[in-house]
Amino acid sequence: MSNFAAVKAALAEKKLDESFSKAYLKEQYDEQYERFLGVLSDFSEQYGENDEREIALFSAPGRTEVSGNHTDHNHGKVIAASVNLDAVAAASKNDDGIVRVKSRGYNIDTVEITDLEVNEEDKGRSRSLVRGILARFKELGYNIGGFDATTASKVLSGSGLSSSAAFEVLVGTILNFLYNDGKISPVEIAKIGQYAENVHFGKPSGLLDQTACSVGGFVTIDFEDPSKPVIEKVELDFEKTGHSLCIVDTKGDHCDLTDEYAAVRSEMEDVAAFFGKKVLREIKKEDVLSNAGEIAKKTSERAVLRALHFFGENERVEKQVEFLKKGDFDSFKELVIESGRSSYMYNQNVYSNKAPTSQPLSLALALSEEVLKGKGAWRVHGGGFAGTIQAFVPNELLDRYIGLMSSVFGDDSCYVLSIRPVGGAQFI
């Protein structure tokens, strides 16, 4: 942390290359200097000019889910990675016991640190996430205090890249470094973000998004014990595979889907409850197969299908990790396609039952198969129902793939991403 004038000078004179190197590709440095100068300018505009005020710069990435679609909330296994699209912030302590977060394009969120009870009227708003993170820090015995911050994000809302988790990790990282000397682990920051989203925001999400954003890099996560998720870095030189990772934003409406997401989790848990258990990880696939008829009568046929999806994904994640470690990328891609088909057929999160004729994800998947069959891989990305798909595209097909997706979904629909090696970070 340095005073405002020194931080601005370091950015203007491009002296943060070493700090940026842990999070960005070299060709992205110039863009990042401009972005951080932008949030500094926003800070001055929002909170006033003060060259002597101590200030710090922060970043938290979005994430891509590679496999294990909708399994974390039932203590499953996943593969995920943080990506180069991130949320950034300039933040400074204050002495008035108030947290103020002004995100570009949105109204300011203001929370008094003496008022951290769940606010029902704030549920579904970003302010509830800020309050929830502060509340959980305090409950766990960590230090909290007031701060002023301005933020800007390149993690598209509703993109499946987890803009909300990036925001949660960003706020948690700010508190971690401003008031706790950066001593709180990335996994703990992720758990705090999940708590804020579940309890204060009102969305029953699992821990995948926050963990991938907070820990960083290419990781496999086993949530058998969510209080102690087993996290393993998977070493992969992705550039050497000859593929690009593309996220296609189909521009589908992500609003009003909370109940669709919640139904996936609740129906899986209904199947577990048939056996007197809380989550599917506590039972075996054979148990479901042997009792499928009775389970369907007590729950629903869709609940049984979603349970089978869960078990299939756990098996696929184990195999995919093995293939990646061996460098067998072709076998890995086959399981990406298999995972996507399971999400479509069994988990049924490719379009919303509220608008069955609106199927941009289905169309994007069909078009991807036309271009990539036998060469690449494709699947629904993130929570599904609307938003994005993911594709592993051979570089020789990249221009063709981008051209097709752009012609259907718009010029800004296809994002070619890099894997970011770190999660939430302070740069200065």
Side-chain angles (χ1 to χ4, degrees), residues 1-4 6-12 16 19-20 22 24 32-33 35-41 43 54-60 86-92 149-150 170 173-174 177-178 420 424-428:
M1 183 181 292
S2 301
N3 67 41
F4 189 95
V7 172
K8 185 175 180 179
L11 290 169
L16 296 182
S19 294
F20 284 170
K22 61 186 178 183
Y24 305 116
Q32 304 314 319
Y33 281 115
R35 291 179 72 207
F36 279 107
L37 282 169
V39 294
L40 277 185
S41 177
F43 192 95
E54 294 288 302
I55 197 164
L57 305 178
F58 300 91
S59 165
D86 65 342
V88 298
S92 176
T150 49
L170 185 65
T173 301
I174 291 171
F177 283 96
L178 290 188
R420 167 170 157 155
Q426 178 182 356
F427 291 133
I428 193 170

Side-chain angles (χ1 to χ4, degrees), residues 213-229:
C213 292
S214 189
V215 173
F218 217 116
V219 296
T220 179
I221 312 167
D222 186 343
F223 291 108
E224 184 170 16
D225 181 353
S227 66
K228 297 178 181 178

Side-chain angles (χ1 to χ4, degrees), residues 89-104:
S92 176
K93 288 183 179 180
N94 64 44
D95 297 322
D96 55 16
I98 297 174
V99 171
R100 304 177 184 89
V101 180
K102 176 64 174 70
S103 299
R104 190 174 296 169

Side-chain angles (χ1 to χ4, degrees), residues 206-389:
L207 191 56
L208 163 64
D209 297 349
Q210 293 84 357
T211 302
C213 292
S214 189
V215 173
F218 217 116
V219 296
T220 179
I221 312 167
D222 186 343
F223 291 108
E224 184 170 16
D225 181 353
S227 66
K228 297 178 181 178
V230 178
I231 299 166
E232 180 186 0
K233 292 269 187 177
V234 181
E235 297 299 332
L236 174 70
D237 190 341
F238 186 66
E239 290 186 12
K240 289 184 178 179
T241 67
H243 290 69
S244 293
L245 171 61
C246 293
I247 300 296
V248 180
D249 181 8
T250 66
K251 312 298 174 65
D253 187 0
H254 231 133
C255 298
D256 196 29
L257 292 175
T258 297
D259 57 341
E260 296 268 25
Y261 298 130
V264 175
R265 177 174 183 169
S266 65
E267 288 178 15
M268 288 185 181
E269 291 174 351
D270 286 344
V271 174
F274 178 88
F275 298 96
K277 304 296 183 179
K278 291 184 177 181
V279 294
L280 287 176
R281 189 62 180 273
E282 297 178 304
I283 63 175
K284 298 184 181 301
K285 180 170 70 172
E286 291 73 20
D287 297 331
V288 175
L289 293 173
S290 299
N291 296 276
E294 289 302 312
I295 298 170
K297 290 177 183 177
K298 190 167 183 179
T299 59
S300 67
E301 288 85 358
R302 189 174 71 176
V304 176
L305 290 170
R306 285 175 163 167
L308 294 176
H309 167 77
F310 171 89
F311 294 114
E313 284 290 84
N314 275 1
E315 294 169 2
R316 277 185 286 273
V317 165
E318 290 182 0
K319 293 177 183 177
Q320 284 177 295
V321 170
E322 291 178 8
F323 289 139
L324 288 175
K325 289 179 177 179
K326 293 177 182 177
D328 186 352
F329 198 66
D330 287 337
S331 296
F332 165 81
K333 288 188 297 181
E334 290 178 6
L335 292 182
V336 170
I337 297 170
E338 189 178 297
S339 172
R341 287 176 176 160
S342 179
S343 291
Y344 205 154
M345 295 169 59
Y346 299 156
N347 203 43
Q348 300 182 21
N349 63 318
V350 171
Y351 62 88
S352 172
N353 288 319
K354 298 176 182 178
T357 61
S358 177
Q359 296 198 30
L361 291 181
S362 306
L363 178 58
L365 292 169
L367 296 174
S368 296
E369 184 170 10
E370 288 295 321
V371 177
L372 302 178
K373 188 173 183 179
K375 297 180 179 180
W378 57 95
R379 51 155 292 177
V380 65
H381 183 244
F385 298 108
T388 61
I389 69 162

